[in-house]
Amino acid sequence: MQYYIHENGQQLGPFTTEELKARGITGETPIWREGMAQWKKAKDVPELTPLFTMPSPPPYSDNTTNMQPTEPCPENHLVISIFSTVVTFFCCGLPIGIIALIYALEVENCWKKGKYDKALSNARNAKTWSIVSIIVACSGFILILIYIFLIIGLEAFLMLL
């Protein structure tokens, strides 16, 4: 089928569908072909609508299993994070080891998504918070021991009087 277009005040054509596509006509380009009573916008000519409709994109998938990380997964320090959480909680009643645990659990997720820098940062934070919580637990334990020895020493001193 042959089409005529109206462009820059001029009637041009005839063109085939392939030639129209190559010219880069838009849906607003005035067009006419034999059998049409009047000029129409190209988007209103049914056989030309495929020229203006974009193909639908494939369905979105968050499936990251096809991604091949280039760097090895950083050590997540999960074991020490769990240990520090338990020790800090039972020794001092403080749950600060949970911060380390959260960072440790996010290392592999970030790595699988290709965010190696974020995975590395989470690994460092997990290690840092594990160490901090163990230091807090040890400090709390030492303070408890000092308190106990002071009480025992004070009782012994008072008994001598």
Side-chain angles (χ1 to χ4, degrees):
M1 198 166 288
Q2 300 286 312
Y3 299 90
Y4 293 87
I5 62 172
H6 195 264
E7 193 173 76
N8 298 326
Q10 295 180 4
Q11 179 177 316
L12 305 172
F15 299 108
T16 64
T17 307
E18 290 77 27
E19 291 170 327
L20 291 175
K21 184 176 183 179
R23 287 189 67 85
I25 65 166
T26 69
E28 299 299 314
T29 303
I31 198 158
W32 180 87
R33 67 166 166 70
E34 189 175 324
M36 291 173 57
Q38 58 187 6
W39 290 81
K40 293 183 178 181
K41 292 181 180 179
K43 67 180 181 184
D44 296 330
V45 179
E47 64 268 19
L48 297 179
T49 54
L51 296 177
F52 313 112
T53 56
M54 296 197 48
S56 298
Y60 174 75
S61 171
D62 195 21
N63 182 1
T64 56
T65 56
N66 294 334
M67 292 180 65
Q68 298 297 320
T70 56
E71 302 287 337
C73 185
E75 170 63 38
N76 61 10
H77 307 288
L78 185 59
V79 174
I80 193 170
S81 298
I82 293 169
F83 175 76
S84 67
T85 302
V86 171
V87 168
T88 308
F89 185 74
F90 284 115
C91 184
C92 307
L94 298 173
I96 62 173
I98 291 176
I99 299 169
L101 199 55
I102 291 169
Y103 279 119
L105 293 172
E106 282 299 310
V107 172
E108 191 173 344
N109 290 336
C110 290
W111 178 73
K112 284 182 179 177
K113 292 179 181 177
K115 299 177 182 177
Y116 184 74
D117 291 338
K118 184 69 174 166
L120 199 55
S121 172
N122 286 340
R124 282 191 216 113
N125 288 335
K127 184 177 181 181
T128 301
W129 279 101
S130 295
I131 292 169
V132 166
S133 61
I134 290 172
I135 290 171
V136 167
C138 290
S139 300
F141 184 71
I142 291 169
L143 287 174
I144 289 170
L145 287 178
I146 291 171
Y147 178 75
I148 290 171
F149 285 122
L150 284 176
I151 295 297
I152 292 172
L154 185 60
E155 280 184 14
F157 178 73
L158 291 175
M159 291 178 95
L160 291 175
L161 294 176

